[in-house]
Amino acid sequence: MSDLEQFRQETRAWLEDNCPASMRKPAQGEADICWGGRRFEFQSEDQKLWLERMASRGWTVPTWPKEYGGGGLSKDENKILGEEMRRIKARSPLTSFGIWMLGPALLKFGTHEQKLEHLPKIARGEIRWCQGYSEPNAGSDLASLMTKAEDKGDYYLINGQKIWTSYADKADWIFCLVRTDFSATKHTGISFILFDMESEGVSTKPIKLISGYSPFCETFFDDVKADKKNLVGEVNKGWTIAKYLLTHERTGIGDMGLPTPLSAIARDKLGLEDGELADTMLRHQIAEHEIDAASFMFTIERAKDQAKAGGDMGAFSSMLKYYGTELNKDRHELILKVNGSEALEWEGQFSNNGEIARSWLRTKANSIEGGTTEVQLNIIAKRILELPA
Amino acid sequence: MALILNEEQQLLKETADGFFADKAPVSQLRKLRDDKDETGYSKDLWQEMAEMGFAGLLVDEDNGGTGFGYVGAGVVAEAMGRTLAASPYLASAIVGASVVEAAGSDAQKAELLPAIASGETVVTLAIDETAHHGPEKTALKAEKAGGGYKLSGLKTFVPEGHVADKVIVLARTSGKAGERDGLSLFLVDRKASGLIVDRTVMTDSRNWAKMTFEGVAVGADALMGTEGKGMDALEGALDRARIVVAAELLGISQQCLDMTVQYLQERKQFGVLIGSFQGLQHRAAELFSEIEVSRSAVLKALQVADAGGNVGWFASLAKAKASKTAELATNEAIQMHGGIGMTDEFDIGFYIKRARVLQNLYGGFNYHADRFAALSGY
Ligand SMILES: Cc1cc2nc3c(=O)[nH]c(=O)nc-3n(C[C@H](O)[C@H](O)[C@H](O)COP(=O)(O)OP(=O)(O)OC[C@H]3O[C@@H](n4cnc5c(N)ncnc54)[C@H](O)[C@@H]3O)c2cc1C
């Protein structure tokens, strides 16, 4: 038996023994997702147990080095772990901005001390992070951000405002872009710094979305002191880190995983006649969507295999972000059509308080957050197709 | 298996790209058209392709091929799509070889496969009888007569049918049009008596044929596979051919994007390069994305084709997606070139013409979207 085959056998056996039954079905919406953090309230004992067991093997972050709380798996082993988890429909034990965005950036740009300090806490789900990038006047044009950080010897003094900070009111720490040089050109005066959201001078104010939820905030910094050892990379060189992190964010937003196929939902709701969906117009629309969705799923697979073979993702992540988010918006429009007027109930037991409608509305942000569709298309045009400015 | 080309396949791709750019640029197709060439392709090119091993990619080594498989076949088809190289590759090396491989007896394989691989014999497949693809719709009759069969009926749009040496014919031995059962495959000589072949010049300057069978008599040994079960053997081979057609469409789309991007980098209006207009940048970026997504579907399907077994779902996925993308790519390419895109002197016209023919071949977007849905259980 090859080493990989043996790894598969062992992984399969371990998952069988350790994944609680209630964790073997896809998360049904936001409430089922384990975000971790100081103040996280577990939905169930199983959710807690599943996190602890996976974290003990480093499998919340399978490819990170063991010394930083990871599983030390090769990309091939990681692929197998993913396959084996999907096989039993095991849900992800932990989801977080730390895993998805900050971790990769710290692994690449952080010092050994910074990695030792922050990565294991991400891996174990102890600290929940939020992203302090956007400001009221720095959205798509992120590099024009103005939050100020003054060098005060052993700390930076931070003043300014962020906006659209997802889960700022629930997060423990923030990774934040600040301006450390106001005389430099806009890309060269930015630094990347980490600090505790419980620091004096940090305050948040939730913003309500069209979905009725308030997952993000305005975030204010009023004379906040950030320890110098938490500045990542070199001072004034934060833009490189910011961009690197964005490629991870974009790939993550584009890759929606494997949601329940639209056709399965439609079969359920509309029924079949002679083996075909009873509504022929919708059947056509769904087939068209699923052809794109399946092709896109293989594109994610191809991109991962390319990266594994040493290829550079770079601007390709913009393509994945653009295509995946537009596809997801289309998917939810179709879910709405499949469910008819039932999808439009907003309150009540029957609809789980408008779950379908609220999820549909939430997807409208997919092509805005992490850089808009238009910005991704600009990046593809300039960086991949090399079209003139 | 990783969803990327391995080293060998990458090498084949580079070889094929170089070969067709050098030996069969679009100007060759243009000349064939202008000369009203009756063969419709250069026999010298086809011979050289055979020497390169391109005619035997799907034929195993014992029969004189390279046994490179479908990923390789797709890579070469994509390269041909980029320059619109005209040859019986698709008809013979792909469709012909895969049907013989799937349905042929040992004797038929021994006779045909080496001849296909060497380029000596051109084999084609005759399925459709109307303007819309659908093997099950076959009505052409094969009746038992003497020790063999007698074929009567009509076939249309048979690729390279005007020059093929052998024609594999899907015929009805029982049942009625629309039924899957009762169809059988026969190997017929193009010069057989009672077979009337009319060359049809298509929009893409390539040649297909209308074939009228007026009681064509064939021996019992002309039957390929089991009588009445022709579809079982044909389907897998046809699906594989559809994937290779999708690969050629991908080459067309990619070439249209590349030509368009180059034009956007050169052409000036309002004192600036038109590629600086965001309206055009976004259209080009969207097209790029569609092509990359199609590429994944095609490569996945080619890999599954090599792995063996049922590839219907993947074939319909790849053919549907590549067809839709090629339609977008060729339309956008003309639009972004402005007036010059409409001129015969410029090459884009050749691409849009070839694309529509290939989109239609063996089922277009709607045919395959419908089949994709059916195979997905809805
Ligand atoms: C649900 C959600 C969660 C978010 N979470 C976070 C978070 O956690 N942390 C964080 O820092 N930010 C977060 N954001 C902010 C997000 O990154 C910004 O909203 C986004 O970058 C766009 O900026 P903006 O809202 O200022 O829009 P604008 O930049 O003002 O854009 C308005 C419109 O103009 C278009 N546009 C702008 N520039 C160009 C151009 N050059 N070419 C063509 N079109 C252009 C845009 O595409 C858009 O259509 C979140 C946003 C949402 C919706």
Side-chain angles (χ1 to χ4, degrees):
Chain A
M1 201 172 5
S2 75
D3 288 352
L4 283 179
E5 203 34 53
Q6 184 165 354
F7 176 77
R8 186 185 294 279
Q9 300 298 336
E10 286 167 9
T11 302
R12 184 173 293 185
W14 187 87
L15 288 172
E16 271 309 333
D17 291 346
N18 289 280
C19 183
S22 68
M23 294 292 110
R24 296 184 191 199
K25 53 175 193 258
Q28 308 290 324
E30 185 70 23
D32 278 351
I33 296 174
C34 177
W35 289 96
R38 290 175 193 142
R39 286 169 290 160
F40 186 71
E41 285 170 26
F42 288 98
Q43 286 288 105
S44 63
E45 261 312 297
D46 280 353
Q47 191 184 41
K48 184 159 181 270
L49 202 62
W50 180 223
L51 171 61
E52 284 168 1
R53 285 178 179 169
M54 285 293 273
S56 73
R57 306 209 97 191
W59 283 1
T60 50
V61 284
T63 58
W64 292 9
K66 284 195 167 149
E67 62 174 328
Y68 304 134
L73 300 191
S74 69
K75 285 178 177 170
D76 284 324
E77 288 168 334
N78 187 37
K79 193 171 176 180
I80 289 173
L81 173 60
E83 286 163 3
E84 290 304 317
M85 285 177 66
R86 271 197 296 283
R87 202 181 65 85
I88 60 165
K89 300 197 173 68
R91 69 175 67 150
S92 168
L94 180 65
T95 300
S96 77
F97 290 7
I99 293 179
W100 171 29
M101 300 187 220
L102 179 63
L106 269 187
L107 281 168
K108 187 164 169 83
F109 296 99
T111 60
H112 178 60
E113 287 69 31
Q114 286 170 337
K115 292 178 197 173
L116 270 185
E117 169 69 22
H118 297 295
L119 294 178
K121 292 179 191 161
I122 293 174
R124 294 192 298 263
E126 290 166 7
I127 293 293
R128 180 172 181 178
W129 289 84
C130 64
Q131 177 186 31
Y133 273 34
S134 306
E135 296 179 6
N137 289 313
S140 296
D141 184 13
L142 181 61
S144 65
L145 61 97
M146 294 303 247
T147 292
K148 181 160 95 179
E150 289 169 276
D151 189 338
K152 295 283 182 191
D154 52 358
Y155 66 90
Y156 285 98
L157 191 67
I158 300 178
N159 281 287
Q161 186 200 334
K162 296 286 171 183
I163 194 167
W164 321 129
T165 328
S166 294
Y167 308 113
D169 53 343
K170 300 193 171 65
D172 307 309
W173 276 64
I174 187 168
F175 50 93
C176 198
L177 294 180
V178 293
R179 189 160 295 284
T180 33
D181 184 349
F182 277 79
S183 58
T185 59
K186 69 178 180 181
H187 293 99
T188 51
I190 294 170
S191 299
F192 189 102
I193 195 161
L194 319 172
F195 52 88
D196 196 321
M197 289 293 278
E198 282 175 7
S199 309
E200 204 169 319
V202 177
S203 59
T204 59
K205 191 168 150 225
I207 307 169
K208 198 165 161 184
L209 288 183
I210 52 178
S211 59
Y213 299 130
S214 307
F216 60 13
C217 300
E218 287 180 279
T219 308
F220 303 92
F221 309 127
D222 186 10
D223 282 340
V224 177
K225 290 177 182 168
D227 207 327
K228 254 192 174 166
K229 70 173 197 226
N230 284 320
L231 188 122
V232 183
E234 277 178 59
V235 70
N236 294 330
K237 298 262 173 72
W239 186 244
T240 312
I241 305 171
K243 276 196 306 185
Y244 178 80
L245 185 144
L246 277 174
T247 64
H248 281 270
E249 176 177 11
R250 286 169 182 163
T251 308
I253 295 176
D255 182 0
M256 297 290 172
L258 291 172
T260 312
L262 198 52
S263 54
I265 303 172
R267 242 191 325 254
D268 217 38
K269 288 284 164 189
L270 305 170
L272 298 179
E273 264 170 32
D274 293 332
E276 295 184 359
L277 281 182
D279 184 326
T280 52
M281 293 299 282
L282 255 179
R283 176 175 182 264
H284 190 102
Q285 287 187 315
I286 289 171
E288 198 156 355
H289 174 88
E290 291 210 321
I291 284 168
D292 286 345
S295 302
F296 183 66
M297 184 180 80
F298 295 136
T299 306
I300 301 257
E301 182 182 340
R302 185 161 72 87
K304 283 182 181 162
D305 286 341
Q306 223 149 33
K308 224 167 69 169
D312 177 21
M313 269 294 240
F316 205 75
S317 63
S318 288
M319 195 283 275
L320 299 179
K321 202 283 176 176
Y322 150 66
Y323 207 94
T325 56
E326 295 297 335
L327 204 56
N328 200 42
K329 287 200 299 185
D330 186 49
R331 172 183 155 83
H332 280 265
E333 287 297 345
L334 284 166
I335 289 179
L336 218 57
K337 293 189 174 84
V338 162
N339 285 280
S341 54
E342 282 179 19
L344 299 171
E345 183 174 306
W346 193 252
E347 287 173 7
Q349 282 294 307
F350 174 72
S351 62
N352 194 14
N353 282 325
E355 177 80 39
I356 295 176
R358 290 169 200 267
S359 302
W360 157 70
L361 286 166
R362 175 63 182 83
T363 63
K364 298 302 168 198
N366 293 162
S367 49
I368 299 171
E369 60 199 323
T372 67
T373 279
E374 290 73 23
V375 166
Q376 305 316 313
L377 293 174
N378 288 345
I379 294 173
I380 295 168
K382 302 232 161 66
R383 304 248 321 269
I384 299 180
L385 302 179
E386 298 181 346
L387 291 173
Chain B
M1 192 191 321
L3 194 52
I4 47 177
L5 296 181
N6 66 26
E7 228 168 283
E8 237 187 342
Q9 293 156 350
Q10 185 62 34
L11 203 66
L12 178 67
K13 177 182 157 54
E14 282 155 27
T15 307
D17 279 340
F19 177 86
F20 290 108
D22 185 32
K23 306 277 180 175
V26 194
S27 55
Q28 190 179 70
L29 178 65
R30 179 185 291 277
K31 184 160 186 327
L32 289 163
R33 181 198 66 175
D34 293 347
D35 294 350
K36 299 196 181 303
D37 187 283
E38 295 210 345
T39 306
Y41 60 85
S42 151
K43 288 191 168 165
D44 290 344
L45 174 72
W46 180 231
Q47 199 46 52
E48 278 187 78
M49 283 175 67
E51 279 158 24
M52 294 292 290
F54 296 164
L57 292 169
L58 300 183
V59 175
D60 56 285
E61 288 178 27
D62 289 345
N63 280 309
T66 58
F68 213 101
Y70 285 95
V71 174
V75 157
V76 171
E78 186 185 343
M80 295 177 70
R82 296 194 67 134
T83 71
L84 301 181
S87 83
Y89 174 79
L90 196 60
S92 193
I94 303 303
V95 188
S98 12
V99 178
V100 172
E101 182 60 45
S105 64
D106 286 347
Q108 286 162 337
K109 285 184 194 172
E111 181 202 339
L112 293 172
L113 291 177
I116 291 175
S118 70
E120 220 169 284
T121 297
V122 170
V123 178
T124 189
L125 174 70
I127 331 174
D128 288 328
E129 301 177 5
T130 70
H132 298 279
H133 179 66
E136 290 88 353
K137 291 194 284 190
T138 291
L140 186 142
K141 251 195 312 207
E143 290 165 302
K144 283 232 162 68
Y149 300 84
K150 220 168 75 181
L151 276 56
S152 335
L154 178 82
K155 292 285 175 187
T156 58
F157 303 117
V158 183
E160 323 295 345
H162 63 308
V163 287
D165 302 289
K166 302 277 181 192
V167 187
I168 298 169
V169 184
L170 186 65
R172 191 160 283 290
T173 38
S174 66
K176 54 180 193 298
E179 291 176 2
R180 184 189 160 95
D181 263 358
L183 291 170
S184 311
L185 292 164
F186 293 94
L187 185 67
V188 181
D189 203 292
R190 180 180 48 95
K191 298 197 173 122
S193 101
L195 174 53
I196 301 161
V197 179
D198 292 310
R199 179 163 82 105
T200 315
V201 179
M202 300 294 289
T203 300
D204 60 351
S205 307
R206 302 280 295 270
N207 296 274
W208 294 32
K210 191 171 105 182
M211 297 188 157
T212 314
F213 291 75
E214 294 186 336
V216 176
V218 294
D221 60 353
L223 177 71
M224 301 181 81
T226 313
E227 186 182 302
K229 297 285 169 205
M231 276 309 289
D232 294 353
L234 181 63
E235 197 159 48
L238 193 56
D239 272 329
R240 285 168 169 77
R242 286 163 171 151
I243 301 168
V244 177
V245 175
E248 186 173 340
L249 281 165
L250 183 65
I252 290 177
S253 299
Q254 185 70 55
Q255 186 64 20
C256 285
L257 174 68
D258 291 356
M259 288 165 75
T260 302
V261 166
Q262 193 185 342
Y263 193 67
L264 296 184
Q265 289 163 339
E266 288 165 9
R267 167 79 174 162
K268 275 190 173 177
Q269 281 294 282
F270 299 98
V272 295
L273 293 167
I274 58 171
S276 64
F277 298 137
Q278 197 178 50
L280 297 187
Q281 290 185 345
H282 283 192
R283 290 169 78 155
E286 282 167 7
L287 179 54
F288 165 83
S289 305
E290 291 295 348
I291 292 172
E292 287 303 316
V293 170
S294 304
R295 180 175 297 288
S296 315
V298 171
L299 182 57
K300 184 73 183 186
L302 288 166
Q303 287 189 348
V304 175
D306 274 329
N310 190 347
V311 299
W313 187 87
F314 290 94
S316 281
L317 172 72
K319 184 74 201 318
K321 185 65 193 163
S323 295
K324 190 170 153 194
T325 299
E327 188 160 318
L328 179 74
T330 49
N331 288 339
E332 287 290 84
I334 290 185
Q335 181 64 23
M336 288 191 255
H337 275 84
I340 202 172
M342 286 300 293
T343 61
D344 183 65
E345 195 187 332
F346 196 66
D347 288 337
I348 289 274
F350 284 88
Y351 287 89
I352 193 170
K353 291 170 186 169
R354 178 69 177 159
R356 290 305 177 279
V357 170
L358 291 179
Q359 282 169 242
N360 192 55
L361 179 61
Y362 307 139
F365 179 83
N366 287 342
Y367 179 90
H368 285 290
D370 175 67
R371 186 164 176 257
F372 174 89
L375 292 173
S376 305
Y378 63 98

